[in-house]
């Protein structure tokens, strides 16, 4: 692995490690904290050498490797991300995207329809009113961004596994692909899509999802890093081929989570 030359810009590696640890559920977090509290130890654990000073790129690479390592051993559909009390919610919750907040997609909810495609029995598009009539689930969980910050949010919506079953999705398919209004996209492996905490999110703080956080729909996956949580979702496809995603296509770790 090549040696880093530039110091991290705006990334505190210790914070990144700490936040990555917070993303992990208890068993893997214990493992993580038992010896892997430094990038050096993490490097040992993952066989990835980054001892001479982190850059955002190699810190990310190590965490990605760690994610793969953990995933191979610990991911299961019943391993839950930690949840928090209402009082822990970060306010204001940060906005993040590959552009500034005032450039976020401004979607008209009145004529919005969620497009459905691929290996699904019923491909009828869904209006927001229809989606809002489905049984609601709620979670207060932490979103961890690889750029070195995390925040706790309160999200409400439809359990994605319920929705997939409702539309007759082939849950034996390998992936679910999400297309976003501004060109962002994400591919999620089916076990993660079926994870009980994975949510088709319609609300933040029990109110209509604000524009900044992905109106009208975001996918919330607390067992994954922030970039695997697409906002402004316009289409969902169930498929066997990996269509990649905005960051994945630029080399970010594909799995990025537990
Ligand atoms: N459509 C879309 N979804 C996206 C992104 C984006 O740029 N566009 N950024 C991702 C990243 S990197 C993060 S950390 C989270 C940030 O979510 P937030 O704005 O609610 O904090 O959204 C993710 N989903
Ligand atoms: Mo992110």
């Amino acid at each position: 692995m090549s040696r880093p030359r530039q110091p991290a810009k705006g990334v505190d590696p210790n914070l990144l490690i700490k936040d990555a640890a917070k993303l992990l559920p208890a068993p893997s977090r214990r493992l993580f904290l038992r010896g892997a509290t430094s990038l050096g130890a993490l490097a040992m654990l993952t066989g990835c050498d980054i001892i001479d000073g982190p850059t955002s790129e190699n810190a990310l690479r190590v965490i990605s490797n760690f994610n793969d390592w953990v995933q191979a051993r610990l991911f299961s559909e019943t391993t839950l991300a930690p949840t928090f009390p209402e009082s822990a919610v970060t306010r204001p919750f940060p906005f993040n995207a590959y552009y500034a907040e005032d450039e976020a997609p401004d979607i008209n909810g009145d004529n919005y329809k969620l497009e459905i495609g691929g290996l699904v029995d019923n491909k009828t598009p869904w209006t927001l009113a229809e989606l809002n009539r489905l049984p609601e689930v709620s979670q207060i969980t932490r979103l961890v961004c690889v750029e070195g910050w995390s925040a706790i949010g309160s999200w409400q919506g439809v359990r994605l596994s319920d929705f997939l079953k409702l539309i007759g999705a082939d849950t034996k398919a390998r992936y679910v692909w999400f297309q976003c209004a501004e060109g962002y996209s994400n591919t999620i492996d089916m076990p993660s899509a079926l994870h009980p905490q994975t949510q088709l999110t319609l609300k933040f703080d029990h109110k209509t999802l604000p524009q900044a956080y992905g109106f009208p729909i975001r996918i919330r996956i607390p067992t994954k890093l922030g970039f695997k949580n697409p906002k402004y979702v316009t289409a969902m496809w169930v498929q066997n081929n990996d269509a990649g995603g905005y960051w994945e296509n630029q080399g970010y770790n594909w799995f990025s989570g537990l």
Side-chain angles (χ1 to χ4, degrees):
M1 184 164 295
S2 66
R3 297 271 163 173
R5 267 158 282 121
Q6 300 292 315
K9 247 226 206 117
V11 174
D12 176 348
N14 293 319
L15 189 77
L16 197 58
I17 295 294
K18 256 172 63 190
D19 276 342
K22 285 177 197 151
L23 178 69
L24 309 176
S28 46
R29 187 164 58 240
R30 267 200 305 281
L31 226 157
F32 191 100
L33 296 171
R34 196 188 294 154
T37 47
S38 69
L39 284 174
L42 255 186
M44 262 166 55
L45 202 57
T46 59
C48 177
D49 173 23
I50 47 121
I51 305 141
D52 47 359
T55 64
S56 50
E57 196 194 316
N58 60 31
L60 177 65
R61 193 182 304 129
V62 166
I63 287 188
S64 291
N65 287 354
F66 179 71
N67 279 330
D68 286 347
W69 182 87
V70 168
Q71 192 264 329
R73 286 159 186 80
L74 293 169
F75 180 83
S76 89
E77 279 171 41
T78 52
T79 301
L80 299 180
T83 58
F84 300 87
E86 190 76 40
S87 59
V89 172
T90 308
R91 293 193 173 86
F93 194 85
F95 164 86
N96 197 45
Y98 60 93
Y99 45 78
E101 184 167 346
D102 59 7
E103 293 162 56
D106 186 7
I107 296 174
N108 180 349
D110 296 335
N111 51 30
Y112 170 90
K113 279 189 180 173
L114 173 66
E115 249 183 75
I116 306 288
L119 305 168
V120 173
D121 290 338
N122 188 349
K123 293 181 182 140
T124 311
W126 285 70
T127 65
L128 279 182
E130 288 162 346
L131 288 168
N132 274 295
R133 279 196 289 273
L134 297 175
E136 185 178 279
V137 289
S138 182
Q139 62 173 274
I140 298 177
T141 50
R142 185 184 293 276
L143 183 142
V144 179
C145 176
V146 289
E147 287 166 62
W149 58 270
S150 79
I152 294 171
S154 167
W155 287 280
Q156 293 74 37
V158 184
R159 200 189 298 268
L160 186 62
S161 66
D162 290 347
F163 187 66
L164 286 167
K165 281 162 202 157
L166 186 65
I167 62 176
D170 176 4
T171 54
K172 301 263 179 296
R174 295 180 65 190
Y175 304 109
V176 183
W177 176 76
F178 296 97
Q179 173 71 61
C180 308
E182 85 287 44
Y184 198 83
S185 60
N186 253 170
T187 296
I188 312 293
D189 58 290
M190 185 60 80
S192 297
L194 295 176
H195 186 283
Q197 286 173 309
T198 298
Q199 192 186 88
L200 193 161
T201 299
L202 298 158
K203 294 179 186 167
F204 185 90
D205 244 349
H206 300 274
K207 292 183 226 70
T208 301
L209 200 60
Q211 186 182 348
Y213 311 141
F215 181 83
I217 290 179
R218 90 173 300 159
I219 301 299
R220 177 68 191 120
I221 313 188
T223 51
K224 294 255 179 271
L225 290 170
F227 80 90
K228 303 291 283 188
N229 287 242
K231 305 191 283 187
Y232 318 106
V233 171
T234 53
M236 183 182 93
W237 288 71
V238 175
Q239 54 194 42
N240 279 312
N241 61 308
D242 175 8
Y246 182 83
W247 291 112
E248 292 85 340
N249 297 347
Q250 297 174 51
Y252 277 60
N253 169 270
W254 188 89
F255 195 84
S256 285
L258 293 182

